[in-house]
Amino acid sequence: MARKNYSEEFRRQAVDLYESTPGATVRGIAEDLGIVRGTLRHWLEVYGAGKKTAADGTLTSSPLQSKPSKSSSTPADETSEQKIARLEARVDELEVETTKLTTEREILQRAAKYFGRGDALVSRFQFVADNSATFADRGGVKRLCELVEVERSSYYAWLKAAPTREGRARADAELAERIRAVHAEDNTCGAPRITAELNDNAPAGARVNHKRVARVMRLEGIRGYVKKRRVRTTIPEPSGQKYPDLLNRDFTAPAPNRRYVGDITYLPLADGTNLYLATVIDCYSRRLAGWAIADHMRTELVEDALNAAAATRGSLKGAIFHSDHGSVYCSKAYAKLCKKLGIAQSMGAVGSSADNALAESFNATMKREVLQDAACWSDDLTCRRQVFRWLVRYNTRRRHTWCGYLSPSTYEARRAATLPTAA
């Protein structure tokens, strides 16, 4: 069944997904999210920024912007000569505007290949420097700076500092070679140990700072070996409430909204921090009834996920929710929420992932399909966008083996249609 009530956060995320996905269409995004196109169009009118990402990655005006109505500005007593003069003037204006737009499009097409490089601001400065001569007769530096949204004064300051940057780059390249020589002898060395090695053998006045060494190593992809620590998302709470296992590894249900499992998993980011995803999964169809993402593992995270499931199903009264012995699931606040919603809590044995295998399998599948060969997400916003899209597609589009290769939402709808009605 299609969900009828959507939270404001869901609506804003749907709009953000449309506006940030290169070449996205209303139809494609609506199908991914399992909503009606008209509904998404309405959300875009209410929450949209009026911009969308084109297929080449550039921002363009959204075609869904409401167009101003035509006004009858033509004088009623206009003569034929006046009308011709007015139209000729309008043609001249349109030709000038067309020339301007053609130039802008050409400039932005050239600029697109610069924007995927490292520092975005430096890439824009470099684009202006490389193309100022080409467009000298069409506005030159001034026009280019306007289109790529940089200040001319900043550009000229950057240009003036070019010799200094070149000297610094040469010095960094020389330092990188010295770092590689030390690292080749012992690849477990990180920035502090390499800095000490370099300074021990350096002549007077040639000592280097550990921050500079770390920066060069990061830019050159040189790093000491560090065994990755497993992120713990299940932290037992000795004083918390314990509940019996009501599922006993039987992750099936005779009907929707009877049995749920849930867990918390970490979402690693490139800067070394994590986001956390809490889930509520229906054992009947494997449908993700509720979820929440946050930068913490406090009780509010799992409460938000359970409340989202309650909003999706309308009510969770009489259902079972099964989890591990994490401190958030054993907390008094979470027990109070379960009691309020009419939910019976269930927990597997401590240290046994098999007792919550359905939720563990879901987490592994999500990370594998979203991250693929990547080790982490580049930043917080990218992570939230990609995970949001996968979670919604999981329900509405992704074919599940448990459901006979139907999506969980389609599976529920078809099974509901074949169930006999009460007399």
Side-chain angles (χ1 to χ4, degrees):
M1 294 176 62
R3 181 174 173 181
K4 297 187 180 299
N5 296 320
Y6 299 90
S7 66
E8 182 175 350
E9 180 184 4
F10 184 96
R11 298 177 187 182
R12 291 185 182 276
Q13 287 180 313
V15 170
D16 176 73
L17 186 63
Y18 168 78
E19 293 181 341
S20 64
T21 302
T25 62
V26 172
R27 179 177 181 178
I29 296 297
E31 289 179 353
D32 285 350
L33 302 182
I35 60 178
V36 180
R37 275 179 280 174
T39 300
L40 180 56
R41 287 179 181 274
H42 174 66
W43 293 351
L44 288 168
E45 292 175 1
V46 176
Y47 302 104
K51 298 285 185 180
K52 73 180 299 291
T53 306
D56 60 3
T58 59
L59 286 177
T60 61
S61 297
S62 173
L64 300 176
Q65 287 283 90
S66 56
K67 299 179 179 179
S69 59
K70 296 180 179 179
S71 61
S72 55
S73 59
T74 304
D77 57 349
E78 184 180 42
T79 65
S80 299
E81 291 78 7
Q82 291 174 330
K83 182 176 182 179
I84 292 173
R86 178 174 56 80
L87 292 177
E88 288 178 345
R90 181 57 178 157
V91 169
D92 291 340
E93 292 176 4
L94 292 176
E95 288 179 348
V96 172
E97 185 68 20
T98 299
T99 302
K100 179 182 177 182
L101 292 175
T102 301
T103 301
E104 289 182 358
R105 182 176 63 183
E106 183 181 353
I107 292 173
L108 291 175
Q109 285 176 341
R110 288 175 178 241
K113 64 182 180 181
Y114 284 78
F115 294 158
R117 306 175 183 175
D119 188 305
L121 186 59
V122 171
S123 297
R124 295 176 190 223
F125 288 153
Q126 190 63 56
F127 167 74
V128 175
D130 292 346
N131 293 273
S132 57
T134 304
F135 295 96
D137 59 337
R138 286 175 279 181
V141 171
K142 179 180 179 182
R143 189 70 184 130
L144 292 172
C145 287
E146 289 176 352
L147 286 176
V148 297
E149 299 179 348
V150 296
E151 295 291 337
R152 271 188 295 168
S153 59
S154 299
Y155 164 71
Y156 285 121
W158 174 83
L159 202 61
K160 184 178 180 180
T164 303
R165 287 197 304 276
E166 291 173 0
R168 188 184 303 118
R170 285 193 298 271
D172 284 349
E174 294 172 359
L175 177 60
E177 291 303 316
R178 295 167 58 197
I179 291 173
R180 286 194 183 94
V182 176
H183 189 262
E185 295 181 4
D186 183 359
N187 69 350
T188 65
C189 289
R193 292 167 60 192
I194 289 180
T195 302
E197 183 71 22
L198 292 174
N199 288 335
D200 281 348
N201 300 319
R207 294 175 63 84
V208 292
N209 183 278
H210 72 280
K211 292 183 179 179
R212 184 184 174 200
V213 172
R215 175 178 60 82
V216 172
M217 289 180 64
R218 184 168 60 251
L219 291 174
E220 297 293 328
I222 305 171
R223 63 187 66 185
Y225 175 77
V226 177
K227 185 175 181 179
K228 292 185 177 180
R229 297 177 60 187
R230 186 172 181 269
V231 178
R232 293 186 65 196
T233 54
T234 302
I235 304 174
E237 176 55 59
S239 61
Q241 178 67 48
K242 302 299 188 294
Y243 297 91
D245 187 346
L246 303 179
L247 299 190
N248 294 313
R249 301 187 183 181
D250 178 10
F251 303 110
T252 63
N257 205 24
R258 300 286 185 84
R259 289 181 165 190
Y260 292 92
V261 298
D263 195 14
I264 299 177
T265 189
Y266 74 98
L267 309 174
L269 304 180
D271 62 3
T273 61
N274 299 304
L275 293 178
Y276 299 91
L277 168 68
T279 54
V280 180
I281 306 167
D282 195 320
C283 293
Y284 174 73
S285 62
R286 279 27 179 187
R287 178 179 179 179
L288 184 63
W291 77 85
I293 299 176
D295 58 358
H296 61 80
M297 286 197 301
R298 296 191 294 272
T299 305
E300 296 96 302
L301 175 64
V302 291
E303 287 179 332
D304 288 345
L306 196 61
N307 281 322
T312 298
R313 291 305 196 186
S315 172
L316 297 178
K317 187 174 183 180
I320 295 173
F321 178 79
H322 181 82
S323 67
D324 55 30
H325 282 262
S327 59
V328 290
Y329 293 116
C330 295
S331 68
K332 293 181 180 179
Y334 194 73
K336 183 178 180 181
L337 176 61
C338 288
K339 184 176 181 180
K340 175 183 175 182
L341 296 176
I343 297 171
Q345 284 188 259
S346 169
M347 291 183 177
V350 176
S352 175
S353 60
D355 285 354
N356 202 17
L358 175 55
E360 298 279 358
S361 175
F362 175 91
N363 293 337
T365 299
M366 183 275 295
K367 289 183 181 179
R368 182 178 67 251
E369 295 187 3
V370 180
L371 282 176
Q372 297 186 12
D373 292 332
C376 58
W377 282 273
S378 58
D379 54 65
D380 182 300
L381 184 58
T382 299
C383 177
R384 289 177 184 272
R385 283 174 174 170
Q386 292 183 356
V387 173
F388 169 73
R389 183 171 192 175
W390 189 91
L391 294 178
V392 179
R393 283 178 59 89
Y394 171 86
N395 280 337
T396 61
R397 299 289 297 276
R398 185 183 181 279
R399 298 178 183 275
H400 203 300
T401 54
W402 174 264
C403 302
Y405 292 98
L406 298 173
S407 70
S409 295
T410 303
Y411 177 80
E412 285 190 4
R414 291 192 181 182
R415 292 294 293 266
T418 59
L419 290 177
T421 57

